[in-house]
Amino acid sequence: MTEREIAEIRRRYRPEKTNITHLRGCYVNEKREIVSQFDQPLSMMSEEEAEKILATLKRTLSGAQGRNLFDVEFATQQVVDSEEHRLLMSLRSSGLGDEEAVQAFLQKVIASLSMEGSYLILLAHETYDVPYRSADGGRQDDASDQVYTYFLCSICPVKLTTPALSYFIYENKLSNRPADWLVSPPELGFLFPAFDSRSANIYSALYYTRNPAENHQEFADAVFNREIPMPAAEQKETFQSLLGESLGEDCSLEVVQAVEGQLTEMIEAHKERKEEEPLAVSKYAVKRVLEGCGVPEERLSTFTQRYDEAFGPDLDLSPRNLVNARALEVATPDVTVKVNPERGDLVETRVIDGVRYILIRAEEGVQVNGIDIHIS
């Protein structure tokens, strides 16, 4: 799904726009036991309650693509005949009304999910009359050429607040506020089927994880039986390690700056062009940058081999997961220096009298612990 398509579905989560009629789900305690289940019509809630529920569900469609949101692609054989895909299709086609399918899905989630504490499993179903959009981007809300039917699953931790002293304005007094259970924003979830080219794609789902360092692969295995990309934080760590190990002594400051500079330029160019498709970089693009830096061929072959072992031969990565576009960080075991990435020219490495140094050019405005100092 593109950013525009995700945004179009996100806009559905407003009381005046949504066609969600009810909310299904259950409350699971820390022992993985279902404490209660609910099938709650939105029409029976107050406007404020409905807004908060829709806002919570909407968070399952938030974040950056390739970092918080991932496309999960089903194999053709899965769509033709597989238990996991049949279950998802039953939930969708029945509007969450197939009780056997709902209970089977809830049990599958509970059995697979590794999450501490209590949580809610929320399920919402909607039928969306997709407005017609002409070739020039013009939208006609009163002209719908197709219907998109889908459901959204959100897994929300439920956390116990701490007792606190509170001021009750209407009673004009201070009083103790007891501990209470509050629903937190979704930790993970998904939308099925995907909204591709503004229509349903039963070969794909959109997967969400709040924490870029955790992708909950065990949940994806149970629900989709598909491998999803490794967490963004792990992608960055893995890429950095394989780059350093592959290049060995040829991994210089200049080479790292060239790679990160090229990736940062790709991010900025993609943003300026306002492209809808998610930005991705292949191993060949990185290899070309390394070639331009004069890295020997044997090092390039090692990089290619280790990339395939770590990520797979055909996987492209999001540059946003690989670099910190906001800072250039130079670190030793005892010293860490952060530099504006646009001023990488201020930093160089040099060997003086057999000793390795990191040199940073300093003109004026130098401070130590907030105190202005002079270099003479």
Side-chain angles (χ1 to χ4, degrees):
M1 290 177 62
T2 66
E3 291 182 3
R4 178 178 290 185
E5 289 164 344
I6 294 172
E8 183 171 349
I9 300 303
R10 274 174 55 85
R11 287 192 291 271
R12 301 290 304 162
Y13 289 82
R14 301 174 186 170
E16 71 277 10
K17 284 182 174 286
T18 188
N19 196 30
I20 296 173
T21 57
H22 62 283
L23 190 70
R24 290 208 63 162
C26 67
Y27 172 64
V28 183
N29 65 18
E30 65 279 0
K31 298 179 181 179
R32 292 189 174 185
E33 299 170 337
I34 295 180
V35 176
S36 63
Q37 297 195 40
F38 50 88
D39 188 343
Q40 193 168 357
L42 288 184
S43 59
M44 299 297 290
M45 304 177 192
S46 68
E47 183 177 345
E48 183 179 2
E49 288 173 337
E51 285 181 355
K52 288 183 177 179
I53 287 175
L54 291 172
T56 298
L57 293 171
K58 183 179 179 180
R59 295 285 289 271
T60 315
L61 301 173
S62 63
Q65 288 177 283
R67 187 172 178 83
N68 307 100
L69 295 168
F70 308 92
D71 289 319
V72 178
E73 304 294 338
F74 292 99
T76 301
Q77 186 56 42
Q78 282 184 288
V79 176
V80 172
D81 183 25
S82 71
E83 178 187 345
E84 61 275 2
H85 199 272
R86 277 197 304 271
L87 181 57
L88 295 175
M89 290 296 289
S90 295
L91 293 171
R92 178 210 184 199
S93 61
S94 68
L96 304 178
D98 185 333
E99 195 62 31
E100 184 178 345
V102 170
Q103 297 306 318
F105 177 78
L106 295 178
Q107 291 300 331
K108 178 175 286 193
V109 171
I110 294 169
S112 66
L113 189 58
S114 299
M115 183 182 293
E116 293 184 2
S118 305
Y119 58 88
L120 285 178
I121 303 175
L122 303 178
L123 296 171
H125 179 274
E126 185 185 38
T127 299
Y128 172 36
D129 291 326
V130 183
Y132 174 76
R133 182 171 288 165
S134 59
D136 61 0
R139 172 174 167 147
Q140 300 178 24
D141 290 337
D142 58 348
S144 176
D145 60 347
Q146 60 180 304
V147 175
Y148 171 54
T149 303
Y150 72 96
F151 75 92
L152 184 77
C153 172
S154 299
I155 313 293
C156 302
V158 179
K159 298 181 180 179
L160 184 64
T161 63
T162 55
L165 186 65
S166 181
Y167 175 66
F168 293 83
I169 186 170
Y170 295 110
E171 300 176 16
N172 193 28
K173 69 175 184 179
L174 291 170
S175 183
N176 184 54
R177 186 187 67 192
D180 200 3
W181 294 95
L182 294 181
V183 178
S184 301
E187 182 69 23
L188 72 156
F190 67 92
L191 175 148
F192 177 84
F195 187 57
D196 286 338
S197 301
R198 305 187 71 235
S199 62
N201 178 6
I202 63 172
Y203 285 80
S204 181
L206 183 69
Y207 186 76
Y208 167 79
T209 177
R210 183 190 63 82
N211 185 359
E214 175 58 75
N215 64 5
H216 295 280
Q217 180 62 52
E218 76 286 350
F219 175 84
D221 286 339
V223 176
F224 308 119
N225 194 21
R226 302 298 293 173
E227 188 80 19
I228 57 176
M230 69 172 60
E234 188 178 344
Q235 285 185 23
K236 182 177 182 179
E237 182 180 339
T238 302
F239 180 79
Q240 291 172 337
S241 296
L242 73 87
L243 192 63
E245 294 170 1
S246 301
L247 302 189
E249 294 181 356
D250 292 299
C251 191
S252 63
L253 173 65
E254 292 74 20
V255 169
V256 173
Q257 284 183 313
V259 172
E260 298 212 345
Q262 183 69 27
L263 295 178
T264 301
E265 287 179 9
M266 291 176 63
I267 294 172
E268 293 302 319
H270 184 267
K271 186 185 300 183
E272 290 177 3
R273 291 193 297 266
K274 298 181 179 179
E275 295 181 359
E276 294 185 22
E277 293 297 326
L279 177 61
V281 61
S282 68
K283 64 181 177 184
Y284 302 107
V286 179
K287 184 178 178 181
R288 285 193 295 270
V289 175
L290 298 177
E291 286 176 335
C293 295
V295 175
E297 181 59 39
E298 60 269 21
R299 300 287 195 191
L300 297 177
S301 298
T302 302
F303 169 78
T304 302
Q305 178 182 345
R306 295 202 174 187
Y307 184 102
D308 292 347
E309 294 171 353
F311 301 111
D314 302 317
L315 181 66
D316 295 343
L317 303 175
S318 170
R320 294 184 176 88
N321 295 344
L322 307 181
V323 299
N324 182 357
R326 298 179 180 178
L328 173 65
E329 184 176 295
V330 182
T332 72
D334 302 306
V335 179
T336 298
V337 179
K338 291 185 178 181
V339 184
N340 182 336
E342 296 180 357
R343 294 309 314 273
D345 59 298
L346 297 177
V347 185
E348 63 176 296
T349 56
R350 191 181 300 177
V351 178
I352 303 176
D353 296 332
V355 180
R356 298 183 180 91
Y357 288 91
I358 299 171
L359 304 181
I360 302 174
R361 190 168 75 251
E363 303 296 340
E364 56 184 22
V366 180
Q367 294 185 337
V368 176
N369 290 341
I371 302 173
D372 294 325
I373 65 168
H374 297 277
I375 301 176
S376 59

